[in-house]
Amino acid sequence: MFVKIAGTGSFLPERVVDNFEIARKVDTSDEWIQTRTGIRTRHIATDETVAGMAAKAAERALENAGISPEEIDLIIVSTVSAEQSLPCIACDVQKALGAKRAAAFDVNSACSGFITGYQAAAAQIKAGLVKTALVIGSECLSNYVDWTDRGTCILFGDGAGAAILKADCAPEDIQIPCVLHADGSLGEALTCSLGHGKHKVPFDEYYRMDGKAIFKFAVRKVPEVIREVLKMSGHTADEIDFFVLHQANKRIIDAIAKRLRQDESKFPMNIMDNGNISSACIPMLLDDMNRKGILKPGTKLVLAGFGAGLTWGGFYLEW
Ligand code: UT7
């Protein structure tokens, strides 16, 4: 028995920026961006904030799950792009929802953040500490994008995705087929300084990325972690209906599908419309699939993410 997702929700800012608009700012083209990444458009926040988008996605997830804010025991928000360091975004969400009973904290493991949040919440549910948890990925990556750097500004977008976690069995019967990894020695592949502090870090205040290094890392490590998750859950790749992966680059996802010898149709994507929204990608994609009726009771999923840190991880989920 597993910790289930009882409801999902997402939020995208209204403003859509297409590749042609980006090509007016930096030396790139719609053709280059589409062939190298799969991205056509991304949503960019105007008035929206990380906390505001998180709260809107959460309201939709609560409605989808048919539960009230008072039933939430725990709120975890994953973000790397907040406007504030205090209070944490999860406390802002708690206030906005009126989820008075909920404990609240943020996590930062970048694009693996939804996996980290799921594991932390599921472990608390298994320990009997909480019954109902809300896990959100919310990102306003445009806060930290250098719009003169064509290596990064073509990729990122803004948005939020949320999921309600609940167990449908006694805590002692819960299994958590979830694996998290990190390799801090590769951290310089994706950096951003907050610009404050007595001891200045050797990074600047925008996202700086060695795209090639992360590309190679993802294509190697994500299939490995998926195999670990499959082993833990006792399934083969063929038995999985969908692999819901972090949306960093369509070519990365295609390469992972090939390595796992699985048909590309088992790898849903929203990168074409949304770009890479770090920790929001996976819950937003899940919400898309949920609302389109693709996820039926018993549908078998493996979710996996990778990103700055470097971090990577995955978990098995039955709908
Ligand atoms: O969310 C997790 C963190 N991020 C990622 O996972 C990103 C992973 N990496 C990637 O998605 C890809 O590495 C990028 C999309 C960032 C870059 O694609 P690439 O195929 O690895 O391109 P590249 O860096 O090898 O560059 C190939 C060529 C270079 O020109 P030369 O040296 O061959 O003449 C670049 O200067 O493409 C050039 N280039 C561009 N041209 C037009 C690099 N960026 C652009 C651009 N437009 N935006």
Side-chain angles (χ1 to χ4, degrees):
M1 298 285 204
F2 308 100
V3 173
K4 299 256 179 178
I5 291 188
T8 59
S10 53
F11 177 84
L12 277 167
E14 228 171 85
R15 178 164 148 64
V16 176
V17 173
D18 64 18
N19 292 341
F20 296 97
E21 186 173 342
I22 303 235
R24 288 196 289 275
K25 293 184 209 280
V26 291
D27 181 18
T28 190
S29 65
D30 174 57
E31 205 241 326
W32 193 96
I33 301 172
Q34 283 211 42
T35 38
R36 293 294 184 123
T37 70
I39 299 167
R40 286 191 300 249
T41 58
R42 71 286 292 142
H43 293 246
I44 298 293
T46 46
D47 299 333
E48 297 88 352
T49 60
V50 170
M53 292 192 290
K56 287 200 173 103
E59 277 166 16
R60 291 171 187 172
L62 284 170
E63 199 185 337
N64 187 243
I67 68 165
S68 70
E70 292 77 18
E71 289 174 70
I72 306 170
D73 302 306
L74 173 67
I75 301 172
I76 300 177
V77 175
S78 164
T79 189
V80 293
S81 51
E83 296 79 10
Q84 67 209 41
S85 71
L86 296 172
C88 70
I89 301 300
C91 279
D92 273 357
V93 171
Q94 191 236 27
K95 180 174 72 176
L97 298 179
K100 292 196 179 76
R101 292 180 44 248
F105 62 88
D106 291 357
V107 298
N108 173 351
S109 56
C111 309
S112 314
F114 184 73
I115 313 291
T116 308
Y118 175 88
Q119 194 199 54
Q124 288 211 29
I125 292 172
K126 182 173 169 59
L129 299 173
V130 307
K131 282 198 163 65
T132 305
L134 167 61
V135 179
I136 305 170
S138 184
E139 304 287 0
C140 189
L141 299 175
S142 63
N143 281 335
Y144 297 93
V145 162
D146 175 359
W147 292 103
T148 66
D149 175 10
R150 70 177 182 173
T152 52
C153 75
I154 58 158
L155 292 174
F156 298 125
D158 302 332
I164 304 288
L165 273 55
K166 258 179 155 346
D168 59 357
C169 61
E172 59 273 18
D173 296 329
I174 294 171
Q175 296 167 44
I176 309 176
C178 179
V179 192
L180 294 176
H181 291 291
D183 185 349
S185 73
L186 303 174
E188 291 195 4
L190 183 43
T191 60
C192 183
S193 150
L194 291 174
H196 296 288
K198 279 183 284 190
H199 305 291
K200 207 161 160 38
V201 291
F203 315 133
D204 75 22
E205 290 157 35
Y206 296 107
Y207 297 128
R208 297 298 177 207
M209 184 175 73
D210 180 348
K212 250 189 178 7
I214 297 183
F215 193 108
K216 284 188 197 153
F217 156 84
V219 170
R220 204 175 67 247
K221 289 297 185 185
V222 176
E224 270 179 34
V225 82
I226 288 175
R227 288 194 189 98
E228 281 182 81
V229 169
L230 289 171
K231 200 170 169 200
M232 279 178 96
S233 74
H235 291 92
T236 64
D238 290 346
E239 288 170 339
I240 301 301
D241 296 302
F242 297 104
F243 296 87
V244 181
L245 305 188
H246 172 50
Q247 304 284 296
N249 187 318
K250 182 180 183 300
R251 288 189 298 134
I252 294 178
I253 297 169
D254 291 345
I256 292 167
K258 216 167 160 187
R259 286 203 175 199
L260 292 170
R261 296 198 183 83
Q262 295 296 304
D263 196 88
E264 280 172 24
S265 61
K266 290 170 86 170
F267 293 74
M269 293 187 215
N270 58 9
I271 187 167
M272 299 74 86
D273 302 324
N274 297 349
N276 176 349
I277 321 182
S278 190
S279 66
C281 289
I282 292 175
M284 289 180 76
L285 187 51
L286 214 50
D287 185 48
D288 267 6
M289 296 169 77
N290 184 18
R291 283 169 199 268
K292 283 179 183 150
I294 295 169
L295 302 172
K296 311 259 188 284
T299 298
K300 294 179 174 60
L301 306 166
V302 171
L303 298 84
F306 60 90
L310 296 181
T311 60
W312 68 106
F315 67 92
Y316 170 81
L317 180 71
E318 238 167 67
W319 203 252

PDB file of all heavy atoms in Angstrom, residues 152-176:
ATOM      1  N   THR A 152      20.344  30.180 -20.955  1.00  0.00           N
ATOM      2  CA  THR A 152      19.351  29.879 -19.912  1.00  0.00           C
ATOM      3  C   THR A 152      17.972  30.497 -20.186  1.00  0.00           C
ATOM      4  O   THR A 152      16.957  29.868 -19.898  1.00  0.00           O
ATOM      5  CB  THR A 152      19.821  30.387 -18.524  1.00  0.00           C
ATOM      6  OG1 THR A 152      20.177  31.771 -18.643  1.00  0.00           O
ATOM      7  CG2 THR A 152      20.992  29.598 -17.995  1.00  0.00           C
ATOM      8  N   CYS A 153      17.944  31.726 -20.745  1.00  0.00           N
ATOM      9  CA  CYS A 153      16.652  32.428 -20.794  1.00  0.00           C
ATOM     10  C   CYS A 153      15.639  31.776 -21.726  1.00  0.00           C
ATOM     11  O   CYS A 153      14.445  32.009 -21.600  1.00  0.00           O
ATOM     12  CB  CYS A 153      16.838  33.907 -21.133  1.00  0.00           C
ATOM     13  SG  CYS A 153      17.219  34.232 -22.861  1.00  0.00           S
ATOM     14  N   ILE A 154      16.114  30.928 -22.631  1.00  0.00           N
ATOM     15  CA  ILE A 154      15.193  30.242 -23.544  1.00  0.00           C
ATOM     16  C   ILE A 154      14.436  29.117 -22.843  1.00  0.00           C
ATOM     17  O   ILE A 154      13.418  28.651 -23.338  1.00  0.00           O
ATOM     18  CB  ILE A 154      15.967  29.636 -24.740  1.00  0.00           C
ATOM     19  CG1 ILE A 154      17.042  28.666 -24.216  1.00  0.00           C
ATOM     20  CG2 ILE A 154      16.592  30.735 -25.596  1.00  0.00           C
ATOM     21  CD1 ILE A 154      17.480  27.645 -25.224  1.00  0.00           C
ATOM     22  N   LEU A 155      14.989  28.656 -21.701  1.00  0.00           N
ATOM     23  CA  LEU A 155      14.503  27.410 -21.092  1.00  0.00           C
ATOM     24  C   LEU A 155      13.396  27.581 -20.073  1.00  0.00           C
ATOM     25  O   LEU A 155      12.485  26.759 -19.997  1.00  0.00           O
ATOM     26  CB  LEU A 155      15.661  26.698 -20.364  1.00  0.00           C
ATOM     27  CG  LEU A 155      16.789  26.110 -21.193  1.00  0.00           C
ATOM     28  CD1 LEU A 155      17.883  25.592 -20.272  1.00  0.00           C
ATOM     29  CD2 LEU A 155      16.274  24.979 -22.066  1.00  0.00           C
ATOM     30  N   PHE A 156      13.524  28.635 -19.248  1.00  0.00           N
ATOM     31  CA  PHE A 156      12.750  28.643 -18.013  1.00  0.00           C
ATOM     32  C   PHE A 156      11.403  29.356 -18.118  1.00  0.00           C
ATOM     33  O   PHE A 156      11.232  30.288 -18.908  1.00  0.00           O
ATOM     34  CB  PHE A 156      13.580  29.270 -16.897  1.00  0.00           C
ATOM     35  CG  PHE A 156      14.845  28.495 -16.591  1.00  0.00           C
ATOM     36  CD1 PHE A 156      16.087  29.112 -16.617  1.00  0.00           C
ATOM     37  CD2 PHE A 156      14.781  27.143 -16.292  1.00  0.00           C
ATOM     38  CE1 PHE A 156      17.257  28.405 -16.338  1.00  0.00           C
ATOM     39  CE2 PHE A 156      15.940  26.421 -16.010  1.00  0.00           C
ATOM     40  CZ  PHE A 156      17.181  27.053 -16.033  1.00  0.00           C
ATOM     41  N   GLY A 157      10.462  28.921 -17.261  1.00  0.00           N
ATOM     42  CA  GLY A 157       9.144  29.533 -17.177  1.00  0.00           C
ATOM     43  C   GLY A 157       8.699  29.610 -15.732  1.00  0.00           C
ATOM     44  O   GLY A 157       9.436  29.208 -14.820  1.00  0.00           O
ATOM     45  N   ASP A 158       7.492  30.109 -15.515  1.00  0.00           N
ATOM     46  CA  ASP A 158       6.943  30.287 -14.165  1.00  0.00           C
ATOM     47  C   ASP A 158       5.636  29.494 -14.029  1.00  0.00           C
ATOM     48  O   ASP A 158       4.905  29.327 -15.006  1.00  0.00           O
ATOM     49  CB  ASP A 158       6.642  31.766 -13.909  1.00  0.00           C
ATOM     50  CG  ASP A 158       7.890  32.642 -14.070  1.00  0.00           C
ATOM     51  OD1 ASP A 158       9.011  32.129 -13.842  1.00  0.00           O
ATOM     52  OD2 ASP A 158       7.740  33.830 -14.406  1.00  0.00           O
ATOM     53  N   GLY A 159       5.333  29.089 -12.790  1.00  0.00           N
ATOM     54  CA  GLY A 159       4.071  28.376 -12.551  1.00  0.00           C
ATOM     55  C   GLY A 159       4.138  27.572 -11.263  1.00  0.00           C
ATOM     56  O   GLY A 159       5.168  27.573 -10.572  1.00  0.00           O
ATOM     57  N   ALA A 160       3.037  26.898 -10.945  1.00  0.00           N
ATOM     58  CA  ALA A 160       2.987  26.103  -9.713  1.00  0.00           C
ATOM     59  C   ALA A 160       2.105  24.875  -9.900  1.00  0.00           C
ATOM     60  O   ALA A 160       1.130  24.907 -10.658  1.00  0.00           O
ATOM     61  CB  ALA A 160       2.438  26.948  -8.563  1.00  0.00           C
ATOM     62  N   GLY A 161       2.481  23.812  -9.192  1.00  0.00           N
ATOM     63  CA  GLY A 161       1.669  22.585  -9.199  1.00  0.00           C
ATOM     64  C   GLY A 161       1.567  22.064  -7.769  1.00  0.00           C
ATOM     65  O   GLY A 161       2.514  22.213  -6.988  1.00  0.00           O
ATOM     66  N   ALA A 162       0.412  21.473  -7.422  1.00  0.00           N
ATOM     67  CA  ALA A 162       0.197  21.031  -6.032  1.00  0.00           C
ATOM     68  C   ALA A 162      -0.464  19.660  -6.017  1.00  0.00           C
ATOM     69  O   ALA A 162      -1.193  19.301  -6.946  1.00  0.00           O
ATOM     70  CB  ALA A 162      -0.697  22.033  -5.322  1.00  0.00           C
ATOM     71  N   ALA A 163      -0.200  18.924  -4.943  1.00  0.00           N
ATOM     72  CA  ALA A 163      -0.811  17.603  -4.788  1.00  0.00           C
ATOM     73  C   ALA A 163      -1.184  17.378  -3.324  1.00  0.00           C
ATOM     74  O   ALA A 163      -0.446  17.788  -2.424  1.00  0.00           O
ATOM     75  CB  ALA A 163       0.161  16.514  -5.246  1.00  0.00           C
ATOM     76  N   ILE A 164      -2.328  16.727  -3.116  1.00  0.00           N
ATOM     77  CA  ILE A 164      -2.758  16.339  -1.764  1.00  0.00           C
ATOM     78  C   ILE A 164      -2.382  14.879  -1.563  1.00  0.00           C
ATOM     79  O   ILE A 164      -2.741  14.026  -2.385  1.00  0.00           O
ATOM     80  CB  ILE A 164      -4.296  16.472  -1.603  1.00  0.00           C
ATOM     81  CG1 ILE A 164      -4.774  17.887  -1.934  1.00  0.00           C
ATOM     82  CG2 ILE A 164      -4.737  16.021  -0.209  1.00  0.00           C
ATOM     83  CD1 ILE A 164      -4.428  18.935  -0.922  1.00  0.00           C
ATOM     84  N   LEU A 165      -1.644  14.602  -0.480  1.00  0.00           N
ATOM     85  CA  LEU A 165      -1.195  13.234  -0.191  1.00  0.00           C
ATOM     86  C   LEU A 165      -1.992  12.666   0.980  1.00  0.00           C
ATOM     87  O   LEU A 165      -2.168  13.343   2.002  1.00  0.00           O
ATOM     88  CB  LEU A 165       0.289  13.237   0.191  1.00  0.00           C
ATOM     89  CG  LEU A 165       1.324  13.133  -0.929  1.00  0.00           C
ATOM     90  CD1 LEU A 165       1.126  14.199  -1.967  1.00  0.00           C
ATOM     91  CD2 LEU A 165       2.719  13.212  -0.346  1.00  0.00           C
ATOM     92  N   LYS A 166      -2.406  11.419   0.803  1.00  0.00           N
ATOM     93  CA  LYS A 166      -3.173  10.728   1.840  1.00  0.00           C
ATOM     94  C   LYS A 166      -2.882   9.238   1.735  1.00  0.00           C
ATOM     95  O   LYS A 166      -2.629   8.762   0.621  1.00  0.00           O
ATOM     96  CB  LYS A 166      -4.672  10.901   1.549  1.00  0.00           C
ATOM     97  CG  LYS A 166      -5.397  11.941   2.380  1.00  0.00           C
ATOM     98  CD  LYS A 166      -6.832  11.977   1.918  1.00  0.00           C
ATOM     99  CE  LYS A 166      -7.827  12.461   2.917  1.00  0.00           C
ATOM    100  NZ  LYS A 166      -7.534  12.595   4.276  1.00  0.00           N
ATOM    101  N   ALA A 167      -2.947   8.531   2.846  1.00  0.00           N
ATOM    102  CA  ALA A 167      -2.784   7.071   2.769  1.00  0.00           C
ATOM    103  C   ALA A 167      -4.165   6.443   2.810  1.00  0.00           C
ATOM    104  O   ALA A 167      -5.061   6.966   3.478  1.00  0.00           O
ATOM    105  CB  ALA A 167      -1.956   6.579   3.933  1.00  0.00           C
ATOM    106  N   ASP A 168      -4.336   5.333   2.077  1.00  0.00           N
ATOM    107  CA  ASP A 168      -5.636   4.669   2.153  1.00  0.00           C
ATOM    108  C   ASP A 168      -5.527   3.358   2.934  1.00  0.00           C
ATOM    109  O   ASP A 168      -6.219   2.408   2.691  1.00  0.00           O
ATOM    110  CB  ASP A 168      -6.220   4.449   0.756  1.00  0.00           C
ATOM    111  CG  ASP A 168      -5.310   3.597  -0.116  1.00  0.00           C
ATOM    112  OD1 ASP A 168      -4.209   3.238   0.357  1.00  0.00           O
ATOM    113  OD2 ASP A 168      -5.707   3.294  -1.260  1.00  0.00           O
ATOM    114  N   CYS A 169      -4.556   3.342   3.886  1.00  0.00           N
ATOM    115  CA  CYS A 169      -4.380   2.146   4.715  1.00  0.00           C
ATOM    116  C   CYS A 169      -3.752   2.570   6.034  1.00  0.00           C
ATOM    117  O   CYS A 169      -3.429   3.752   6.216  1.00  0.00           O
ATOM    118  CB  CYS A 169      -3.466   1.154   3.993  1.00  0.00           C
ATOM    119  SG  CYS A 169      -1.829   1.833   3.681  1.00  0.00           S
ATOM    120  N   ALA A 170      -3.558   1.628   6.943  1.00  0.00           N
ATOM    121  CA  ALA A 170      -2.930   1.937   8.232  1.00  0.00           C
ATOM    122  C   ALA A 170      -1.471   2.324   7.992  1.00  0.00           C
ATOM    123  O   ALA A 170      -0.822   1.762   7.092  1.00  0.00           O
ATOM    124  CB  ALA A 170      -2.994   0.715   9.131  1.00  0.00           C
ATOM    125  N   PRO A 171      -0.924   3.286   8.788  1.00  0.00           N
ATOM    126  CA  PRO A 171       0.453   3.728   8.566  1.00  0.00           C
ATOM    127  C   PRO A 171       1.457   2.588   8.490  1.00  0.00           C
ATOM    128  O   PRO A 171       2.359   2.606   7.660  1.00  0.00           O
ATOM    129  CB  PRO A 171       0.736   4.632   9.774  1.00  0.00           C
ATOM    130  CG  PRO A 171      -0.593   5.106  10.228  1.00  0.00           C
ATOM    131  CD  PRO A 171      -1.579   4.022   9.893  1.00  0.00           C
ATOM    132  N   GLU A 172       1.272   1.546   9.316  1.00  0.00           N
ATOM    133  CA  GLU A 172       2.277   0.468   9.334  1.00  0.00           C
ATOM    134  C   GLU A 172       2.290  -0.356   8.038  1.00  0.00           C
ATOM    135  O   GLU A 172       3.259  -1.057   7.751  1.00  0.00           O
ATOM    136  CB  GLU A 172       2.108  -0.438  10.571  1.00  0.00           C
ATOM    137  CG  GLU A 172       0.773  -1.121  10.732  1.00  0.00           C
ATOM    138  CD  GLU A 172      -0.260  -0.263  11.476  1.00  0.00           C
ATOM    139  OE1 GLU A 172      -0.073   0.970  11.573  1.00  0.00           O
ATOM    140  OE2 GLU A 172      -1.271  -0.840  11.941  1.00  0.00           O
ATOM    141  N   ASP A 173       1.229  -0.249   7.232  1.00  0.00           N
ATOM    142  CA  ASP A 173       1.191  -1.010   5.974  1.00  0.00           C
ATOM    143  C   ASP A 173       1.745  -0.223   4.782  1.00  0.00           C
ATOM    144  O   ASP A 173       1.764  -0.723   3.659  1.00  0.00           O
ATOM    145  CB  ASP A 173      -0.254  -1.435   5.652  1.00  0.00           C
ATOM    146  CG  ASP A 173      -0.791  -2.393   6.692  1.00  0.00           C
ATOM    147  OD1 ASP A 173       0.023  -3.154   7.260  1.00  0.00           O
ATOM    148  OD2 ASP A 173      -2.004  -2.366   6.966  1.00  0.00           O
ATOM    149  N   ILE A 174       2.175   1.022   5.044  1.00  0.00           N
ATOM    150  CA  ILE A 174       2.627   1.865   3.933  1.00  0.00           C
ATOM    151  C   ILE A 174       4.044   1.498   3.503  1.00  0.00           C
ATOM    152  O   ILE A 174       4.924   1.299   4.342  1.00  0.00           O
ATOM    153  CB  ILE A 174       2.588   3.368   4.346  1.00  0.00           C
ATOM    154  CG1 ILE A 174       1.138   3.810   4.575  1.00  0.00           C
ATOM    155  CG2 ILE A 174       3.274   4.256   3.308  1.00  0.00           C
ATOM    156  CD1 ILE A 174       1.023   5.199   5.177  1.00  0.00           C
ATOM    157  N   GLN A 175       4.243   1.433   2.173  1.00  0.00           N
ATOM    158  CA  GLN A 175       5.605   1.338   1.622  1.00  0.00           C
ATOM    159  C   GLN A 175       5.886   2.655   0.912  1.00  0.00           C
ATOM    160  O   GLN A 175       4.968   3.258   0.362  1.00  0.00           O
ATOM    161  CB  GLN A 175       5.687   0.264   0.551  1.00  0.00           C
ATOM    162  CG  GLN A 175       5.424  -1.135   1.014  1.00  0.00           C
ATOM    163  CD  GLN A 175       5.223  -2.016  -0.217  1.00  0.00           C
ATOM    164  OE1 GLN A 175       5.960  -1.930  -1.186  1.00  0.00           O
ATOM    165  NE2 GLN A 175       4.206  -2.854  -0.164  1.00  0.00           N
ATOM    166  N   ILE A 176       7.151   3.075   0.915  1.00  0.00           N
ATOM    167  CA  ILE A 176       7.508   4.324   0.210  1.00  0.00           C
ATOM    168  C   ILE A 176       8.624   4.006  -0.787  1.00  0.00           C
ATOM    169  O   ILE A 176       9.809   4.175  -0.482  1.00  0.00           O
ATOM    170  CB  ILE A 176       7.938   5.427   1.208  1.00  0.00           C
ATOM    171  CG1 ILE A 176       6.899   5.589   2.315  1.00  0.00           C
ATOM    172  CG2 ILE A 176       8.134   6.754   0.459  1.00  0.00           C
ATOM    173  CD1 ILE A 176       7.281   6.596   3.391  1.00  0.00           C
TER     174      ILE A 176
END
